[in-house]
Amino acid sequence: MSGAFSAGRVVRRLRQQTEEVVRAVRRMAACGVAPWVLGGSGDVDSGLDKRQVNAQIPVKPVYIAPRNPVVLCHGLYGFDVKGPEKVPMLQVHYWRGIREALEGVGAQVLVAKVSGTGGVHERAHQLNTLLTQRAANKQVNLIGHSMGGLDARYLLAHIRPHEYSVTSLTTVCTPHRGSPFMDWCRDYLSLGYRVDREQLVRDFVAARGLDGEEGERVGRAIERAVHGEGKGGQGDRRVREFAQYLTQVLGERATSREERQLERLTQRSVSSGDQAVRTRGLLRMVYRRLMATVDTPAYACLTRDYCERFFNPSTPNMPGVTYLSVGAYMDPRQPGDRVNPLKIPNEIISRTEGPNDGFVSVRSAQWGEYLGSVCADHFDFTNRWRVSALGRDVVAALAGWTAWGGSAQEGGRDVLGEKMFAGGRGAGGRFDPVDFYLRMGTVLYQRGF
């Protein structure tokens, strides 16, 4: 009797498992995500109407892990994890929940850690060192958020690694053409003047294949132009433009120039008979000194001058690597965005470049094949600010603000007319970064990566 009972229980269990598999396959066929699993067009039953399946079974997204390992490259002030290793509850992860979700569907994930405030050159070499150690003889997919996308482009174009190979680079809200907000910080806050002049000159010469004596000649010409000695490179428009750019960016930040400028400013302030002029001059000196202590090389690398006049012309796309990109924008109709900490930067960028995520415009984020935009702010993509995002909605609700129209997708485009990326929407229409990166992994798989 007990044997018959056990056999019946096993049969029922097998029947339940079979039904679960059939339901899962039908969901996959209905949403058309993975028809290759079914070995045909994706239909389990030729007589099955997909509309009937959608009506009977709740459709859930099906995620597929990429074939090659995924490398997550962080942006400005980024990190991998902070906090005591022995107390995981107190740790803060830059990619909170994203790595675990990707690994949960079978993906191999490597979280990169580079200098949070270093320049692109420094960060790219650190990224190369990490990949050489941990991804040797492998093919990898790079996903760079914000400045991490610039690091990856520099890595591919200038370092050109041989210890591993990069099959694809996906940039997420990367300021490929710089950010007007960083221009504003440079012009009004004196941030964005700290750059490595010698390294810029070397990259400029190397990117144009000017080796040997010709490279040294052009390098000396640029140096003379920067220091105001002679005309420097009159026969080469590119050299003149680059020299002008260096002069503008460095200005009084070059050590000798800064000292001379401060000396002149001091003499003018002391000799002036006007107390207001003296006070203003001295305050200006103190302010510049203070801002120089908090300035970092990363700020200059995110300005439009740097990206459009130097970085992009000297950092071409490399053959054999697929370049994908995704942008984002804040929707002013959403009540939560009215109390978003990125509201002021969003308005500054909107005046010159239109829709943006509070740091990078949709236009600046486009590089290579553009997959589309999502409605989110710049911080949403790391999943660290979920609590603050919910807090903004609470404040908006208490203030009685209501949405003006939402951001529903219609015809593949959002209400702002931007091309939409199919993914990243969670419950209630809120952006879901975990779903976004899982969808991105599926896109990479579908493209053979």
Side-chain angles (χ1 to χ4, degrees), residues 319-349:
V321 180
T322 299
Y323 289 77
L324 307 172
S325 60
V326 175
Y329 64 92
M330 293 169 55
D331 191 343
R333 284 163 289 203
Q334 295 301 317
D337 282 342
R338 301 191 193 183
V339 290
N340 194 310
L342 293 177
K343 180 176 176 59
I344 294 178
N346 173 259
E347 293 179 350
I348 292 174
I349 301 174

Side-chain angles (χ1 to χ4, degrees), residues 5 22 80 187 213 258 313 376 441:
F5 176 80
V22 171
D80 52 355
D187 297 339
E213 295 182 359
E258 183 181 30

Side-chain angles (χ1 to χ4, degrees), residues 114-158:
V114 298
S115 171
T117 57
V120 170
H121 170 85
E122 175 187 358
R123 289 163 55 101
H125 278 275
Q126 292 175 352
L127 177 60
N128 178 60
T129 299
L130 182 143
L131 294 179
T132 300
Q133 296 173 350
R134 302 179 60 182
N137 303 318
K138 293 182 179 180
Q139 294 181 329
V140 297
N141 298 304
L142 301 181
I143 298 181
H145 173 244
S146 191
M147 190 178 179
L150 299 182
D151 302 336
R153 284 180 55 198
Y154 188 100
L155 166 74
L156 295 171
H158 294 274

Side-chain angles (χ1 to χ4, degrees), residues 97-362:
I98 296 171
R99 174 178 184 171
E100 293 78 3
L102 288 170
E103 291 177 338
V105 297
Q108 303 177 55
V109 183
L110 174 61
V111 177
K113 178 184 179 182
V114 298
S115 171
T117 57
V120 170
H121 170 85
E122 175 187 358
R123 289 163 55 101
H125 278 275
Q126 292 175 352
L127 177 60
N128 178 60
T129 299
L130 182 143
L131 294 179
T132 300
Q133 296 173 350
R134 302 179 60 182
N137 303 318
K138 293 182 179 180
Q139 294 181 329
V140 297
N141 298 304
L142 301 181
I143 298 181
H145 173 244
S146 191
M147 190 178 179
L150 299 182
D151 302 336
R153 284 180 55 198
Y154 188 100
L155 166 74
L156 295 171
H158 294 274
I159 302 177
R160 302 185 182 183
H162 299 287
E163 296 81 6
Y164 55 92
S165 61
V166 178
T167 57
S168 71
L169 167 60
T170 305
T171 59
V172 179
C173 299
T174 293
H176 293 287
R177 297 164 186 82
S179 172
F181 178 65
M182 293 310 303
D183 293 349
W184 185 88
C185 291
R186 179 195 60 202
D187 297 339
Y188 293 97
L189 302 180
S190 296
L191 295 174
Y193 287 99
R194 185 178 172 185
V195 295
D196 187 343
R197 180 182 61 212
E198 289 75 15
Q199 186 58 52
L200 288 180
V201 171
R202 288 195 295 269
D203 289 343
F204 176 84
V205 171
R208 285 159 177 77
L210 304 176
D211 299 327
E213 295 182 359
E214 186 180 8
E216 293 180 1
R217 179 186 63 80
V218 174
R220 288 194 299 269
I222 294 175
E223 289 286 349
R224 287 197 302 271
V226 170
H227 288 94
E229 303 171 1
K231 299 300 181 182
Q234 287 186 347
D236 191 334
R237 178 180 59 82
R238 296 172 302 175
V239 172
R240 292 199 308 273
E241 291 181 351
F242 185 54
Q244 292 170 1
Y245 164 73
L246 283 181
T247 302
Q248 174 187 349
V249 170
L250 290 171
E252 61 193 45
R253 291 297 182 224
T255 305
S256 59
R257 285 177 173 269
E258 183 181 30
E259 294 299 332
R260 291 197 298 270
Q261 175 73 8
L262 290 175
E263 182 179 353
R264 289 196 300 269
L265 190 57
T266 302
Q267 292 175 352
R268 189 163 58 247
S269 300
V270 173
S271 61
S272 175
D274 190 340
Q275 182 66 30
V277 173
R278 285 203 299 249
T279 302
R280 185 167 58 250
L282 292 174
L283 289 176
R284 185 180 176 188
M285 274 198 315
V286 172
Y287 175 77
R288 286 179 175 173
R289 281 295 189 182
L290 289 176
M291 298 311 292
T293 61
V294 299
D295 198 1
T296 70
Y299 295 148
C301 294
L302 300 174
T303 61
R304 288 186 292 180
D305 278 334
Y306 174 84
C307 291
E308 293 184 345
R309 299 178 62 183
F310 167 69
F311 186 80
N312 289 340
S314 63
T315 312
N317 290 353
M318 300 305 294
V321 180
T322 299
Y323 289 77
L324 307 172
S325 60
V326 175
Y329 64 92
M330 293 169 55
D331 191 343
R333 284 163 289 203
Q334 295 301 317
D337 282 342
R338 301 191 193 183
V339 290
N340 194 310
L342 293 177
K343 180 176 176 59
I344 294 178
N346 173 259
E347 293 179 350
I348 292 174
I349 301 174
S350 295
R351 298 190 193 107
T352 56
E353 295 190 356
N356 64 90
D357 63 1
F359 188 79
V360 180
S361 69
V362 171

